């Protein structure tokens, strides 16, 4: 089963960007974040959607 959400560090690795870029994307609404306690997770759907919208044809 594929995870529904992943950590910020794993998102950085998947997208090839730094933590500050991920936080900018969260703030701008480009990525959907879920807070569980002190932990912030990002939905894999929003990561996939962002990667597809930014891909060059």
């Amino acid at each position: 089963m594929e995870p529904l959400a992943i950590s910020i560090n794993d998102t950085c690795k998947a997208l090839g960007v730094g933590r500050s870029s991920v936080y900018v994307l969260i703030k701008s609404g480009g990525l959907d974040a879920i807070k569980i306690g002190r932990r912030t997770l990002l939905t894999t759907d929003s990561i996939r959607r962002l990667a597809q919208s930014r891909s060059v044809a």
Side-chain angles (χ1 to χ4, degrees):
M1 179 177 201
E2 182 182 331
L4 299 176
I6 61 173
S7 69
I8 289 178
N9 286 339
D10 289 341
T11 301
C12 292
K13 291 174 190 171
L15 294 176
V17 298
R19 289 176 62 86
S20 58
S21 296
V22 171
Y23 283 110
V24 168
L25 287 166
I26 293 169
K27 193 167 191 162
S28 69
L31 289 172
D32 299 330
I34 302 168
K35 286 289 281 184
I36 299 176
R38 295 175 57 185
R39 192 155 187 213
T40 302
L41 300 172
L42 302 162
T43 63
T44 53
D45 284 341
S46 69
I47 295 166
R48 195 173 286 111
R49 189 171 50 245
L50 175 74
Q52 289 173 348
S53 70
R54 304 285 172 127
S55 65
V56 178

